[in-house]
Every structure is written in structure tokens, then in C-alpha cells.
Amino acid sequence: MPAESITITDNRTGDSFEIPIVNGGVASDQWRKALPDVMFHDPGFMATSACESAVTFLDGDAGILRYRGYPIEQLAEKSTYLEVAYLLLHGDLPTPEQYAGWVTDITYHTFIHENVRKRFLEGFHYDAHPMGMLVSAVAALSTFYSDAKDIHDPASRDKQIVRLIAKMPTLAAAAHRFSVGMPFVYPDNSLEFAANFLSMMWKVAEPRFAANPALAHALDVLFILHADHEQNCSTTAMRTVGSAHADPYSATAAAAAALYGPRHGGANEAVIRMLTEIGSLDNVSAFIESVKSGKGSRLQGFGHRVYKSYDPRARIIKQVADEVFEVTGRNPLLDIALKLEEAALSDDYFISRRLYPNVDFYSGLIYQAMGFPVEMFPVLFAIPRTAGWLSHWAELLEDDAKIARPRQLYVGAAERDYVPISDR
Ligand code: ACO
């Protein structure tokens, strides 16, 4: 008998089955062989592992997050977003030569085809949400790079990965400039990744935009914190669409669409709207009561499917907030956020449900202090998460993963005969 296994007894027949536990999981094919008529019913994948992955380790009870084994705290302190993107994709930190080559590759792929901007992005309605524009523009890129369909060619895969990571900030900034009626700013390839993005966002008439180094660094740290988070909703979308062997632009667009939802990447936008609505410290208690009654909205930026003690990214982000506010001045909503956090963390409703601030509770306050409109928040999330999505996409293809195709428990009508419309 294997040391690690479970035994299941089917009480209908009295038959027992032993299934080995491998890497903390029991394989469904063994279950299916033993009990072909019994499904696992797991809406929302609460206890279902859909893949083996070597990208990111997450222990929600202990509040641990590691990319390829490296603690998020060390990466946030010592690395850069582009180095982290390399790490996620390649599995190891780059040598100096590899890093220089990688940065050069990304830097020289930042430009987008003129038709994407002129004909495609400028065709949107004047008040289009920049995240909607980004999702569509990423999908549209698949029509510009027909070689992207060669998903089984590693060289082609690498090329699309570089293109996607490099072009996301350009598309993101272009979407913003269009939505505020400002002319498009071309990438300045003499700048580093985050500083280049800030230049494309904010440059007006000056010959060269010099981002405040503290703000460029803070944004780079935020990019590191958001680069991957194992099998979250958008990564699952990426893997699901990728498993059908769609090209990476289409799969990334699907992932970005998932990220657009307020339960996922839209949460920091929801936090700012919530704090603005609360408006004053005096209204915090009443707001907490309305959350607890279930009649009001949820406490945005609180709670996480996996983290049940604290979100390690939220801790790091609080430090980043201090650095940013030193440059920009304190965000007036910060005091409301601090009071909300304090009230929630001492309230039995939140304690008993193990609800803590997640990464989005403070990220919106930082973005807002840096001058980003709330509509850009999910876009700012999508830029770095592209590295994580693509790491999972590449891993899934290397593993020759099966097409994602869950089963269901049918609870609809039994067979019945069609009734002609005149008889209904
Ligand atoms: N405010 C108030 N109550 C909450 C909250 C919240 N933010 N989150 C969960 N709860 C309560 C639920 O009402 C439920 O209570 P009940 O047992 O009395 O019915 C209990 O806690 C469990 O909640 P679920 O919805 O089952 O937890 P789940 O793991 O499915 O949801 C989620 C996780 C979606 C993140 C949820 O906590 C939430 O909606 N949070 C607010 C939105 C948010 O901040 N999203 C960002 C997530 S991080 C990210 O994507 C980067």
C-alpha cells in the first residue's frame, strides 16, 4: 500500500478504492476509473487543481508568495519588473548577459503598428473604458502577427511573448491618451520599462519626459507584485483558452477580459469608488454595519479566495504607498482607508470569515496619488500580469496539457416533446 493514499468506499456497492496522493492531490483519472458515474462537484474550483505548475508558490494560510521559489518580499526589494518577467518565463534569474539581451529585446518591441492606433484605437467611442480598449486591442494584435499561430514553434512563441510584454504599456498608454483626447506618445526606448510607460502616459510638449525616479521605482515594484498569482481567474482564462491552442494574443485578451471584472482586477477601482462614497471618517462605522448586514456592498479590497491570514503583497504595498505619498502628498482617502482597515480587523464579522486587506486595498490609492484615473487601474494590473499569463501559457504548451473541458451536473428538465407554438 502506498504511504500516501486515500481509500474511498462506495456505500451503494460496498466497493473500496485506493487512490494515491501525489504532490498533495488525487488524480481524477483514478477516481473516474473507479466511479465513472460520480462527478466531483466543485463550482468555483474551491478544491480542484487544474494543472501542475512550477511558476508560483502560494500558501494562503501562512501568507507566503514566491515566484519560482524566490520570496515576493526579496524580489520587490531587490529586483526589477523585467528581471521578474524573465524569471517567471524562464524559471531562473538571468545572468548579466541574458538580462541585457532580454531588456534590449523588450525595449525594441515597444512600438505598435500604426493601424492599431490610428484605425483601431481611434475608432472607439470618445468615452470608451481604457480596459475595454486594451482587451480589444490585444485581441486585434493576433491579426497583425499571423506567425503567432505557430504555437508549437518555440522560437515563434518566444517572439510573441516579447512582443506582448513590450507592447502592453504602449497599448495601455494609447488607450488612456485617446480617452482624454491627448495625442499618442511614441515609446522612448532610451527609458526603462516603467519610466517609458510614464512618459507615454504624461508627456505633453517637453522634448523628453523625465519621470520622477521615486514614482518610476514605485510603479516598477507594483508591477513586480502584480506579475503573477498562480491559478487566479484571469490565469485560468489564459490556460483555458490556451488549452484550445488559440494564439497567445487571443488567449491574453481572454485573460485581460477576466481581469476586467470587479471581483478580480477591477477591485482597486471599486475601492476608490467605495472610499469616495464613504467620504468622511464619521461614515466608516455605518458603512461597516451596512457591509455586515449584507444589504450594502462588500468591503472592497478585503477578502481573498486563497489568503486567509494576510496578503503579503498588501504589506509591501503599504510601504510603497509611504514612498509615493512623500512625492505626491498624502491621498486624502488614505485616512478613511486606514480607519476602515482598523475597524474591520477588530470586528468579529471579518475576523471569523478571515477577511484581510488584499493587494488592491492600497494599490488604487497609490495609482490615484500618481495621477492615474480610476479607469486605468485594471489596465495597470494587466501590464505586468501579462508576464504571468504568458509563463502559464508556455508551461501549458510544454506540458502538452489537455483541452480544458469541465463536466457538469445536469439539473434541467427531463426529456419532453416539442410543443408547436400555436399550442403553447
Ligand atoms: N466584504 C464583506 N464580506 C465578505 C467579503 C468582503 N469583501 N468577502 C467575502 N465576504 C464574506 C461573504 O459574504 C461570505 O460570508 P457568508 O459566509 O456569511 O456568506 C464569506 O465572506 C465568504 O465569501 P466568499 O464570497 O464565499 O469568498 P470567495 O473566496 O468566493 O471570494 C473574493 C473571494 C471574491 C475576493 C471576495 O472576498 C470579495 O468579493 N472581495 C471583495 C472584492 C475584492 O477585493 N477582490 C479582489 C481580490 S484580489 C485580486 O483579484 C487581485
Side-chain angles (χ1 to χ4, degrees):
M1 179 189 278
E4 293 264 294
S5 69
I6 57 166
T7 301
I8 295 157
T9 304
D10 183 346
N11 292 326
R12 298 169 304 178
T13 58
D15 293 341
S16 276
F17 311 94
E18 189 198 335
I19 306 183
I21 301 171
V22 181
N23 292 332
V26 285
S28 66
D29 57 348
Q30 309 246 3
W31 172 280
R32 268 169 56 76
K33 251 185 250 158
L35 295 162
D37 61 330
V38 181
M39 294 286 162
F40 281 115
H41 183 54
D42 188 13
F45 311 122
M46 303 294 287
T48 296
S49 146
C51 62
E52 284 184 339
S53 179
V55 180
T56 288
F57 173 78
L58 206 169
D59 180 336
D61 285 324
I64 293 173
L65 173 62
R66 297 184 198 130
Y67 297 160
R68 300 284 188 184
Y70 294 99
I72 191 67
E73 292 81 2
Q74 291 183 26
L75 294 171
E77 190 191 332
K78 297 178 182 154
S79 188
T80 63
Y81 166 65
L82 280 190
E83 186 179 57
V84 164
Y86 184 99
L87 170 70
L88 287 168
L89 284 153
H90 296 270
D92 278 312
L93 288 167
T95 63
E97 294 74 27
Q98 287 167 333
Y99 185 59
W102 170 246
V103 172
T104 304
D105 271 359
I106 299 289
T107 306
Y108 285 94
H109 281 86
T110 48
F111 278 69
I112 50 175
H113 194 290
E114 279 295 279
N115 280 353
V116 176
R117 175 177 71 84
K118 278 198 186 143
R119 296 185 183 274
F120 190 77
L121 288 177
E122 292 185 0
F124 278 96
H125 199 50
Y126 72 94
D127 61 352
H129 194 294
M131 188 63 176
M133 292 173 76
L134 182 75
V135 169
S136 321
V138 173
L141 285 187
S142 75
T143 66
F144 287 81
Y145 303 111
S146 52
D147 57 336
K149 297 211 178 311
D150 298 336
I151 57 161
H152 297 297
D153 172 7
S156 169
R157 283 210 298 259
D158 286 350
K159 199 193 264 179
Q160 315 316 324
I161 286 171
V162 167
R163 281 178 175 150
L164 267 160
I165 291 175
K167 291 180 202 311
M168 283 303 261
T170 315
L171 291 174
H176 166 72
R177 302 287 290 204
F178 175 79
S179 65
V180 292
M182 295 283 285
F184 176 71
V185 176
Y186 287 94
D188 176 346
N189 288 348
S190 67
L191 297 174
E192 287 183 355
F193 192 82
N196 195 6
F197 173 59
L198 291 174
S199 160
M200 291 187 280
M201 283 292 298
W202 309 129
K203 187 168 181 287
V204 185
E206 62 276 52
R208 192 155 183 266
F209 181 87
N212 181 302
L215 297 188
H217 175 255
L219 189 61
D220 205 60
V221 173
L222 287 168
F223 283 171
I224 292 173
L225 299 184
H226 286 92
D228 194 47
H229 211 229
E230 55 119 288
Q231 310 309 319
N232 54 83
C233 180
S234 56
T235 303
T236 301
M238 182 86 187
R239 279 187 174 265
T240 301
V241 177
S243 78
H245 289 177
D247 69 81
Y249 300 97
S250 304
T252 302
L259 192 65
Y260 197 178
R263 281 174 157 185
H264 188 13
N268 48 12
E269 182 174 342
V271 170
I272 295 295
R273 293 194 198 286
M274 172 187 76
L275 295 175
T276 310
E277 205 181 298
I278 294 172
S280 132
L281 293 178
D282 298 338
N283 300 332
V284 166
S285 314
F287 182 80
I288 291 279
E289 289 313 311
S290 83
V291 170
K292 285 162 60 179
S293 71
K295 290 185 190 126
S297 75
R298 286 189 165 191
L299 179 50
Q300 298 300 328
F302 256 69
H304 197 275
R305 172 60 60 80
V306 184
Y307 292 122
K308 300 297 177 193
S309 66
Y310 69 91
D311 179 341
R313 302 166 302 171
R315 273 199 186 151
I316 301 168
I317 232 165
K318 257 184 136 172
Q319 290 164 17
V320 176
D322 290 338
E323 287 162 34
V324 168
F325 296 154
E326 233 167 73
V327 179
T328 62
R330 201 173 156 90
N331 187 325
L333 296 177
L334 179 67
D335 291 327
I336 300 177
L338 288 169
K339 186 159 180 202
L340 258 183
E341 182 183 354
E342 193 191 313
L345 293 182
S346 55
D347 190 300
D348 189 53
Y349 175 95
F350 298 92
I351 296 169
S352 61
R353 289 170 179 77
R354 306 178 76 192
L355 301 170
Y356 296 84
N358 59 51
V359 67
D360 283 330
F361 193 65
Y362 287 103
S363 66
L365 290 170
I366 300 176
Y367 293 144
Q368 196 181 48
M370 289 171 88
F372 291 104
V374 284
E375 293 75 20
M376 281 298 284
F377 294 0
V379 174
L380 290 161
F381 194 157
I383 293 172
R385 185 52 63 87
T386 302
W389 292 331
L390 290 166
S391 305
H392 288 273
W393 174 71
E395 186 177 66
L396 137 111
L397 292 175
E398 270 153 31
D399 289 351
D400 195 18
K402 280 184 181 304
I403 187 166
R405 204 307 187 182
R407 305 295 297 272
Q408 65 166 18
L409 303 183
Y410 179 69
V411 294
E415 185 181 4
R416 47 185 170 164
D417 288 326
Y418 180 79
V419 180
I421 196 162
S422 54
D423 297 347
R424 281 177 237 155

Coordinates of all heavy atoms in Angstrom, one line a residue, residues 46 226 229 232-233 259 261-268 270-271 291-292 294 297-308 311 313 349-350 353-356 358-361 381 385, ligand 1:
M46 N -13.0 25.3 -5.8 CA -12.6 25.5 -4.4 C -11.5 24.5 -4.0 O -10.7 24.8 -3.2 CB -13.7 25.4 -3.4 CG -14.9 26.4 -3.7 SD -14.4 28.1 -3.5 CE -14.3 28.2 -1.8
H226 N 2.3 42.5 -9.0 CA 1.1 42.0 -9.8 C 1.5 41.1 -10.9 O 0.7 40.7 -11.7 CB 0.4 43.2 -10.4 CG -0.4 44.0 -9.4 ND1 0.1 45.1 -8.7 CD2 -1.6 43.9 -8.9 CE1 -0.8 45.6 -7.9 NE2 -1.9 44.8 -8.0
H229 N 0.1 35.3 -10.0 CA -0.5 34.9 -8.7 C -1.2 33.6 -8.9 O -2.3 33.4 -8.6 CB -1.6 36.0 -8.3 CG -1.7 36.0 -6.8 ND1 -2.9 36.0 -6.2 CD2 -0.8 36.0 -5.8 CE1 -2.7 36.0 -4.9 NE2 -1.4 36.0 -4.6
N232 N -5.2 32.1 -10.6 CA -6.4 33.1 -10.4 C -7.3 33.0 -11.6 O -7.1 32.3 -12.5 CB -5.8 34.5 -10.1 CG -4.9 34.9 -11.3 OD1 -5.4 35.3 -12.3 ND2 -3.6 34.6 -11.2
C233 N -8.4 33.9 -11.5 CA -9.4 33.8 -12.5 C -8.9 34.1 -13.9 O -9.1 33.4 -14.9 CB -10.5 34.8 -12.1 SG -11.9 34.9 -13.2
L259 N -9.8 39.8 -16.1 CA -9.2 40.7 -15.1 C -10.0 42.0 -15.0 O -10.0 42.8 -14.0 CB -7.8 41.1 -15.6 CG -6.9 41.9 -14.6 CD1 -6.6 41.0 -13.3 CD2 -5.6 42.3 -15.2
G261 N -13.1 42.3 -14.6 CA -14.2 42.1 -13.6 C -14.0 42.7 -12.3 O -12.8 42.6 -11.8
P262 N -15.0 43.3 -11.6 CA -14.7 44.0 -10.3 C -14.3 43.0 -9.2 O -13.7 43.4 -8.2 CB -16.1 44.6 -10.0 CG -17.1 44.0 -10.9 CD -16.3 43.5 -12.1
R263 N -14.6 41.7 -9.4 CA -14.2 40.8 -8.3 C -12.7 40.4 -8.5 O -12.2 39.8 -7.6 CB -15.0 39.4 -8.5 CG -16.3 39.5 -7.9 CD -17.0 38.2 -8.3 NE -18.1 37.8 -7.4 CZ -18.7 36.7 -7.5 NH1 -18.3 35.8 -8.3 NH2 -19.7 36.4 -6.7
H264 N -12.1 40.8 -9.6 CA -10.7 40.4 -9.8 C -9.9 41.7 -10.0 O -9.6 42.4 -9.0 CB -10.7 39.5 -11.0 CG -9.4 38.8 -11.3 ND1 -8.3 38.8 -10.4 CD2 -8.9 38.2 -12.4 CE1 -7.3 38.2 -11.0 NE2 -7.6 37.8 -12.2
G265 N -9.6 42.1 -11.2 CA -8.7 43.3 -11.4 C -9.4 44.6 -11.2 O -8.8 45.6 -11.2
G266 N -10.7 44.6 -11.2 CA -11.5 45.8 -11.0 C -11.6 46.2 -9.6 O -12.2 47.2 -9.2
A267 N -11.0 45.4 -8.6 CA -11.3 45.7 -7.2 C -10.7 47.0 -6.7 O -11.3 47.7 -5.9 CB -10.8 44.5 -6.4
N268 N -9.5 47.4 -7.3 CA -8.9 48.6 -6.8 C -9.7 49.8 -7.2 O -9.8 50.8 -6.5 CB -7.4 48.7 -7.1 CG -7.1 48.4 -8.5 OD1 -8.0 48.3 -9.3 ND2 -5.8 48.3 -8.8
A270 N -12.9 49.7 -7.6 CA -14.1 49.6 -6.7 C -13.7 50.2 -5.3 O -14.5 50.8 -4.6 CB -14.6 48.2 -6.5
V271 N -12.4 50.0 -4.8 CA -12.0 50.5 -3.5 C -12.1 52.0 -3.5 O -12.6 52.7 -2.6 CB -10.6 50.0 -3.2 CG1 -10.0 50.8 -2.0 CG2 -10.5 48.5 -3.0
V291 N -22.1 46.7 5.4 CA -21.5 45.6 4.8 C -21.9 44.3 5.5 O -22.3 43.3 5.0 CB -19.9 45.7 4.8 CG1 -19.2 44.4 4.5 CG2 -19.4 46.8 3.9
K292 N -21.9 44.4 6.9 CA -22.2 43.2 7.7 C -23.6 42.8 7.5 O -23.9 41.6 7.6 CB -21.9 43.6 9.2 CG -20.4 43.6 9.5 CD -20.1 44.3 10.8 CE -20.7 43.7 12.0 NZ -20.4 44.5 13.2
G294 N -25.2 42.7 4.9 CA -25.4 42.1 3.6 C -26.2 42.9 2.7 O -26.5 42.5 1.5
S297 N -22.8 47.0 -0.2 CA -21.9 46.3 -1.0 C -20.9 45.6 -0.1 O -20.9 45.8 1.2 CB -21.1 47.3 -1.9 OG -20.2 48.0 -1.1
R298 N -20.0 44.8 -0.6 CA -18.9 44.2 0.1 C -17.9 45.2 0.5 O -17.8 46.3 -0.2 CB -18.3 43.1 -0.7 CG -19.1 41.9 -0.7 CD -18.4 40.7 -1.4 NE -19.2 39.5 -1.1 CZ -18.8 38.3 -1.3 NH1 -17.6 38.1 -1.8 NH2 -19.5 37.2 -1.0
L299 N -17.0 44.9 1.4 CA -15.9 45.8 1.7 C -14.8 45.5 0.6 O -14.2 44.5 0.6 CB -15.4 45.5 3.1 CG -14.2 46.3 3.6 CD1 -14.4 47.8 3.4 CD2 -13.9 46.0 5.0
Q300 N -14.8 46.4 -0.3 CA -13.9 46.2 -1.5 C -12.4 46.2 -1.0 O -12.1 47.0 -0.2 CB -14.1 47.3 -2.5 CG -15.5 47.3 -3.1 CD -15.9 46.0 -3.8 OE1 -15.1 45.3 -4.3 NE2 -17.2 45.6 -3.7
G301 N -11.6 45.3 -1.7 CA -10.2 45.3 -1.3 C -10.0 44.4 -0.1 O -8.9 44.3 0.4
F302 N -11.0 43.7 0.4 CA -10.9 42.8 1.5 C -11.3 41.4 1.1 O -12.2 41.2 0.3 CB -11.9 43.3 2.7 CG -11.1 43.9 3.8 CD1 -10.5 45.2 3.6 CD2 -11.0 43.3 5.0 CE1 -9.9 45.8 4.6 CE2 -10.3 43.9 6.1 CZ -9.7 45.2 5.9
G303 N -10.7 40.4 1.6 CA -11.0 39.0 1.4 C -10.2 38.5 0.2 O -9.8 39.3 -0.7
H304 N -10.0 37.2 0.2 CA -9.3 36.6 -0.9 C -9.6 35.1 -0.9 O -9.8 34.5 0.2 CB -7.7 36.8 -0.7 CG -7.0 36.6 -2.0 ND1 -6.6 35.3 -2.4 CD2 -6.6 37.4 -3.0 CE1 -6.0 35.4 -3.5 NE2 -6.0 36.7 -3.9
R305 N -9.7 34.6 -2.1 CA -10.0 33.1 -2.2 C -9.0 32.3 -1.5 O -9.3 31.3 -0.9 CB -10.2 32.7 -3.6 CG -10.3 31.3 -3.9 CD -11.5 30.6 -3.2 NE -12.8 31.2 -3.6 CZ -13.5 30.9 -4.7 NH1 -13.0 30.0 -5.6 NH2 -14.6 31.5 -5.0
V306 N -7.7 32.7 -1.6 CA -6.6 31.9 -1.1 C -6.0 32.4 0.2 O -5.8 31.6 1.2 CB -5.5 31.7 -2.1 CG1 -4.5 30.7 -1.6 CG2 -6.1 31.2 -3.4
Y307 N -5.7 33.7 0.3 CA -5.1 34.2 1.5 C -6.1 34.3 2.6 O -7.1 35.0 2.5 CB -4.5 35.6 1.3 CG -3.4 35.7 0.4 CD1 -3.4 36.4 -0.8 CD2 -2.2 34.9 0.6 CE1 -2.3 36.4 -1.7 CE2 -1.2 34.9 -0.2 CZ -1.2 35.7 -1.4 OH -0.2 35.7 -2.2
K308 N -5.9 33.6 3.7 CA -6.8 33.6 4.8 C -6.1 34.1 6.1 O -6.7 34.0 7.2 CB -7.4 32.2 5.0 CG -8.2 31.7 3.8 CD -9.4 32.5 3.5 CE -10.1 32.0 2.2 NZ -11.1 33.0 1.7
D311 N -2.4 39.0 3.1 CA -1.9 39.0 1.7 C -0.5 39.7 1.8 O -0.4 40.9 2.1 CB -2.9 39.8 0.8 CG -2.4 39.9 -0.6 OD1 -1.2 39.7 -0.9 OD2 -3.3 40.2 -1.5
R313 N 1.5 40.8 -0.3 CA 1.6 41.9 -1.2 C 1.0 43.2 -0.6 O 1.5 44.3 -0.8 CB 0.9 41.6 -2.5 CG 1.4 40.4 -3.2 CD 0.5 40.0 -4.3 NE -0.8 39.7 -3.9 CZ -1.9 39.5 -4.7 NH1 -1.7 39.5 -6.0 NH2 -3.1 39.2 -4.2
Y349 N -17.2 40.0 12.5 CA -17.7 39.5 11.2 C -16.5 39.2 10.3 O -16.4 38.2 9.6 CB -18.5 40.7 10.6 CG -19.0 40.4 9.1 CD1 -20.2 39.8 8.9 CD2 -18.2 40.7 8.0 CE1 -20.6 39.5 7.6 CE2 -18.5 40.4 6.7 CZ -19.8 39.8 6.5 OH -20.2 39.5 5.2
F350 N -15.5 40.1 10.2 CA -14.4 40.0 9.3 C -13.4 39.0 9.8 O -12.8 38.2 9.1 CB -13.7 41.4 9.1 CG -14.7 42.3 8.4 CD1 -15.5 43.2 9.1 CD2 -14.8 42.3 7.0 CE1 -16.4 44.1 8.5 CE2 -15.7 43.2 6.4 CZ -16.5 44.1 7.2
R353 N -14.6 35.4 9.4 CA -14.5 34.9 8.0 C -13.1 35.0 7.4 O -12.9 34.8 6.2 CB -15.5 35.8 7.1 CG -17.0 35.4 7.4 CD -17.9 36.4 6.8 NE -19.3 36.1 7.0 CZ -19.9 36.3 8.2 NH1 -19.3 36.9 9.2 NH2 -21.2 36.0 8.3
R354 N -12.2 35.4 8.2 CA -10.8 35.5 7.8 C -10.6 36.5 6.6 O -10.0 36.1 5.6 CB -10.2 34.1 7.5 CG -10.4 33.2 8.7 CD -9.9 31.8 8.4 NE -8.4 31.8 8.6 CZ -7.7 30.8 8.2 NH1 -8.2 29.7 7.6 NH2 -6.4 30.8 8.3
L355 N -11.2 37.6 6.7 CA -11.1 38.7 5.7 C -10.1 39.7 6.1 O -10.2 40.4 7.1 CB -12.5 39.3 5.5 CG -13.7 38.4 5.1 CD1 -15.0 39.1 5.2 CD2 -13.4 37.8 3.7
Y356 N -9.1 39.9 5.2 CA -8.0 40.8 5.4 C -7.8 41.7 4.2 O -8.3 41.3 3.1 CB -6.7 40.0 5.7 CG -6.7 39.2 7.0 CD1 -7.3 38.0 7.0 CD2 -6.3 39.8 8.1 CE1 -7.4 37.2 8.1 CE2 -6.3 39.0 9.3 CZ -6.9 37.8 9.3 OH -6.9 37.0 10.5
N358 N -6.5 42.9 0.8 CA -5.7 42.3 -0.2 C -4.9 43.3 -0.9 O -5.0 44.5 -0.6 CB -6.6 41.4 -1.2 CG -7.7 42.3 -1.8 OD1 -7.4 43.3 -2.4 ND2 -9.0 41.8 -1.7
V359 N -4.2 42.9 -1.9 CA -3.3 43.8 -2.6 C -4.0 45.1 -3.2 O -3.4 46.2 -3.3 CB -2.5 43.1 -3.8 CG1 -3.5 42.7 -4.9 CG2 -1.4 43.8 -4.4
D360 N -5.3 44.9 -3.5 CA -6.0 46.1 -4.1 C -6.5 47.1 -3.1 O -7.0 48.1 -3.5 CB -7.1 45.5 -4.9 CG -6.6 44.9 -6.2 OD1 -5.6 45.4 -6.7 OD2 -7.2 44.0 -6.7
F361 N -6.4 46.8 -1.8 CA -6.9 47.8 -0.9 C -6.1 49.1 -0.9 O -6.7 50.2 -0.8 CB -6.9 47.2 0.6 CG -7.8 48.0 1.5 CD1 -9.1 48.1 1.4 CD2 -7.2 48.7 2.6 CE1 -9.9 48.8 2.2 CE2 -7.9 49.4 3.5 CZ -9.3 49.5 3.3
F381 N -2.9 46.8 -13.9 CA -2.8 45.5 -13.4 C -2.4 44.5 -14.6 O -1.6 43.6 -14.5 CB -4.1 45.1 -12.8 CG -4.1 43.8 -11.9 CD1 -5.1 43.7 -11.0 CD2 -3.2 42.8 -12.1 CE1 -5.2 42.5 -10.2 CE2 -3.3 41.7 -11.3 CZ -4.3 41.5 -10.4
R385 N 0.8 41.6 -15.3 CA 0.3 40.3 -15.2 C 0.5 39.5 -16.6 O 0.4 38.3 -16.6 CB -1.2 40.3 -14.8 CG -1.9 39.0 -14.6 CD -1.1 38.1 -13.6 NE -1.0 38.6 -12.2 CZ -1.9 38.4 -11.3 NH1 -3.0 37.7 -11.5 NH2 -1.7 38.9 -10.1
Ligands
ACO1 N1 -16.8 42.1 2.4 C1 -17.7 41.5 3.2 N2 -17.9 40.2 3.2 C2 -17.2 39.4 2.5 C3 -16.1 40.0 1.7 C4 -16.0 41.4 1.6 N3 -15.0 41.9 0.9 N4 -15.5 38.9 1.0 C5 -16.1 37.8 1.5 N5 -17.1 38.1 2.4 C6 -17.9 37.2 3.1 C7 -19.0 36.6 2.2 O1 -20.2 37.4 2.3 C8 -19.2 35.2 2.9 O2 -19.9 35.4 4.0 P1 -21.0 34.2 4.5 O3 -20.2 33.0 4.7 O4 -21.7 34.8 5.6 O5 -21.9 34.1 3.3 C9 -17.8 34.8 3.2 O6 -17.1 36.1 3.5 C10 -17.0 34.0 2.2 O7 -17.1 34.8 1.0 P2 -17.0 34.1 -0.5 O8 -17.6 35.1 -1.5 O9 -17.5 32.7 -0.4 O10 -15.4 34.0 -0.7 P3 -14.7 33.8 -2.1 O11 -13.4 33.2 -1.7 O12 -15.6 33.2 -3.0 O13 -14.5 35.3 -2.6 C11 -13.5 37.4 -3.1 C12 -13.2 36.0 -2.6 C13 -14.2 37.4 -4.5 C14 -12.1 38.1 -3.3 C15 -14.3 38.2 -2.1 O14 -13.6 38.2 -0.8 C16 -14.7 39.6 -2.5 O15 -15.7 39.8 -3.2 N6 -13.8 40.6 -2.1 C17 -14.1 42.0 -2.5 C18 -13.6 42.2 -3.9 C19 -12.0 42.2 -3.9 O16 -11.4 42.8 -3.1 N7 -11.5 41.5 -4.9 C20 -10.0 41.5 -5.1 C21 -9.5 40.1 -5.0 S1 -7.7 40.1 -5.1 C22 -7.4 40.1 -6.7 O17 -8.2 39.7 -7.6 C23 -6.2 40.8 -7.1

